[in-house]
Amino acid sequence: MEEVLASAALVAAGLALLCLGGNWLVGGGEKIAKRFRVSSFVIGMTVIAYGTSTPELAASVAAATGGYGAIILGNIIGSNIANVGMVIGISAVLIPLAVGRDVLRKEIPVMIGASVLLVALSADGEVSQYDGFILLAGLGVVTYRTMRIIKGQRAEAGGAGPSEPPDGRPEPGSAQAHQPVGRFYARNVGTIGAGIALLYVGAILTVDHAAILAKTFGLSEKVIGLTVVAIGTSLPELITSIMAIRRGQQDIGVGNIIGSNIYNVLMIMGVGAALGGVAISDDVWVDYGIMLAFGAALLAALKTGRVGRRVGICLAAGYAAYLGVSLLK
């Protein structure tokens, strides 16, 4: 009983660190976006998404080196489902999410395409080391494409560079007007780094001790990966998206989810498979289908340019049903 209570207390401490880390990550990313004159959505897909994907990467590397391939796969599939069902769903319930046409036409298809690639590579019953390198190559292509988008946005904004003030000239007498460029970057990059570190520590505390609690109640390794680990490593995305919405930065929240789902497949599965390959069990195909279905549902919901509260409730309810079925397996 003492071990259970201690684990529960550490899970609560981990959640508190996640909240603080998410707030710092969004705050630093928002200011960097203004300085470089790129859209908040792109910052959400890059800096924020990489930062919030750190727990998934850490969990998958630890699972790969420990020989727990089922946890790697369950973590990635479960996280991608949780990101759409839980994170987008809950976020839309709080405030309806609006997105631009480019997101609908370009970014969500990339997210779904990455998932389809993973499914295709799994057809032979294994995501091999060779397949892992294919996924990492895909990550390189996506990264190159994103850098071109950033370059184009900066050119459209008038070529603003790192030495230029955010949003044009700062207001006379403002803190920005007297703040040296070096200090600006040291402060905000430091804030982002500290936020990522807190997210990492918070997620590790939450996942490790939630897994202890789950094992105490007799859950299997795969179910722990699909639920406890997946939810725990998706908490940074949830907290960060909620913090972004509270700051009025909806694009950061949506970009964070789309970017995280892309990186989960290409970067995290790529690294996990490259370290030793991941075997595919027969029952994972159902979870693959659910992951693709949630992606397609998000694409359909965004055809109107927004995810309203009703859609958010449906996504969250669908995810709750998925969790219930997973726990009963």
Side-chain angles (χ1 to χ4, degrees), residues 109-149:
V110 171
M111 181 189 79
I112 295 176
S115 297
V116 170
L117 175 61
L118 175 60
V119 173
L121 293 176
S122 303
D124 59 355
E126 179 189 20
V127 181
S128 65
Q129 287 183 297
Y130 177 76
D131 294 334
F133 291 121
I134 291 177
L135 292 171
L136 291 174
L139 174 66
V141 172
V142 170
T143 301
Y144 174 75
R145 173 179 173 273
T146 303
M147 295 305 295
R148 287 182 62 88
I149 292 173

Side-chain angles (χ1 to χ4, degrees), residues 43-126:
I43 290 296
M45 272 198 65
T46 53
V47 176
I48 308 298
Y50 268 114
T52 56
S53 291
T54 300
E56 281 97 335
L57 180 60
S60 293
V61 170
T65 55
Y68 299 105
I71 285 185
I72 297 175
L73 191 60
N75 178 27
I76 289 165
I77 298 173
S79 291
N80 280 16
I81 294 172
N83 282 346
V84 175
M86 180 178 72
V87 181
I88 292 289
I90 292 176
S91 298
V93 170
L94 296 175
I95 297 178
L97 305 176
V99 298
R101 290 185 178 273
D102 285 345
V103 177
L104 179 64
R105 291 189 298 108
K106 299 177 181 178
E107 309 307 336
I108 295 181
V110 171
M111 181 189 79
I112 295 176
S115 297
V116 170
L117 175 61
L118 175 60
V119 173
L121 293 176
S122 303
D124 59 355
E126 179 189 20

